[in-house]
Amino acid sequence: MILVLLPHSDYDPTESSVPWQYLHRAGIEVRFATPTGAVAHADPRLVEQGFGPLNPLLMTRKPDLESYRAMLSDPHFQHPMAYADVDPTQFAGLLDADAAKRIALHFFKAGKPIASVCHGPLLFARTLDPETGRSVLYGRKVTGLLSVTMELAAWMITAPWLGRYYRTYPQTVEAEIKATLASPGDFIAGPPALLRDSASRPERGFTVRDGNLLTARWPGDCHRLAAEWLRMLKEAPTS
């Protein structure tokens, strides 16, 4: 059984619904958790409102929106657990979109498969291993939302009418993650060309695997992330 952690709201639908779809089709049980146990819906601008002339660049693609709408009908999505009520020992793997440190620490220490994308690895950067006093990412190789070509670029092109919509945190995701690593070079940016992957072209995506941790940069990597994570789950020992 797999645990998918979601924030209160306003997340990118691709990042959770595409992996959910791969797991669902493989017959793997999925449960959801949110901060308070309330149903968490994706960013309405990515689902319905759009970005006007920038829709081809920023809007969620139709096949991935269909995956999201299918996920909405999952009874477990409609009745999520609260983070505080999660017993992480009951789950074989973790998909993080933005979650709780207690849960994340368990999966790292237990060596269970973990997948995270975009802003998600920030949770791990902020989760300290009590044995070392360092982030659980220390000594790992990882990727996440890129500063210049993704986070800052999206902010600059939308700022004239959306303001700080794409400036979620005081510093960029990449900068905060790098500060917790053994070396800044352990943050892997991937190829410069940002090609969106798909179910038929997962090789266009980019992921970084380090042991039980699989990370990706943005929604355009999610089909590859989902396919590779599914393989990790199938290969993982059962207990």
Side-chain angles (χ1 to χ4, degrees):
M1 187 162 57
I2 304 303
L3 179 63
V4 175
L5 294 167
L6 296 174
H8 290 286
S9 60
D10 294 340
Y11 55 90
D12 188 298
T14 303
E15 295 168 8
S16 56
S17 65
V18 168
W20 169 84
Q21 183 182 60
Y22 278 65
L23 297 174
H24 184 71
R25 289 175 176 173
I28 296 175
E29 289 186 72
V30 178
R31 299 293 185 271
F32 296 85
T34 63
T36 64
V39 178
H41 293 280
D43 186 338
R45 191 170 290 278
L46 291 167
V47 175
E48 299 170 350
Q49 296 175 13
F51 298 85
L54 294 177
N55 277 356
L57 178 64
L58 299 176
M59 187 70 173
T60 304
R61 293 174 303 174
K62 185 177 179 180
D64 299 334
L65 279 176
E66 291 174 355
S67 297
Y68 172 68
R69 293 185 178 114
M71 187 176 74
L72 292 180
S73 66
D74 185 331
H76 298 297
F77 179 89
Q78 293 295 329
H79 298 88
M81 296 175 284
Y83 289 169
D85 296 332
V86 171
D87 177 1
T89 65
Q90 302 301 308
F91 297 92
L94 173 70
L95 175 66
D96 163 56
D98 181 14
K101 296 175 183 178
R102 173 185 65 88
I103 300 169
L105 181 62
H106 167 82
F107 281 86
F108 271 89
K109 301 295 280 186
K112 297 177 182 179
I114 303 167
S116 188
V117 59
C118 200
H119 292 76
L122 279 179
L123 166 68
F124 308 142
R126 297 168 179 174
T127 299
L128 301 183
D129 183 338
E131 296 180 7
T132 65
R134 290 171 167 161
S135 166
V136 293
L137 291 183
Y138 189 86
R140 299 267 193 159
K141 295 191 183 299
V142 66
T143 194
L145 188 67
L146 304 182
S147 294
V148 176
T149 57
M150 293 179 178
E151 188 170 2
L152 295 179
W155 173 45
M156 287 187 289
I157 63 177
T158 60
W161 79 96
L162 294 181
R164 293 183 62 85
Y165 179 83
Y166 272 108
R167 292 295 288 123
T168 310
Y169 301 103
Q171 59 180 320
T172 65
V173 171
E174 181 178 342
E176 185 172 345
I177 291 174
K178 281 183 174 179
T180 69
L181 303 178
S183 166
D186 288 341
F187 185 94
I188 314 299
L194 300 179
L195 302 176
R196 282 186 175 269
D197 65 9
S198 65
S200 61
R201 298 292 300 275
E203 73 280 359
R204 288 188 171 187
F206 177 76
T207 60
V208 172
R209 180 176 179 180
D210 190 327
N212 66 316
L213 176 64
L214 181 69
T215 52
R217 304 167 301 175
W218 69 312
D221 296 329
C222 281
H223 284 275
R224 179 167 178 170
L225 178 86
E228 293 185 357
W229 192 46
L230 183 57
R231 285 195 292 270
M232 287 174 62
L233 291 168
K234 291 179 176 179
E235 293 168 359
T238 57
S239 58

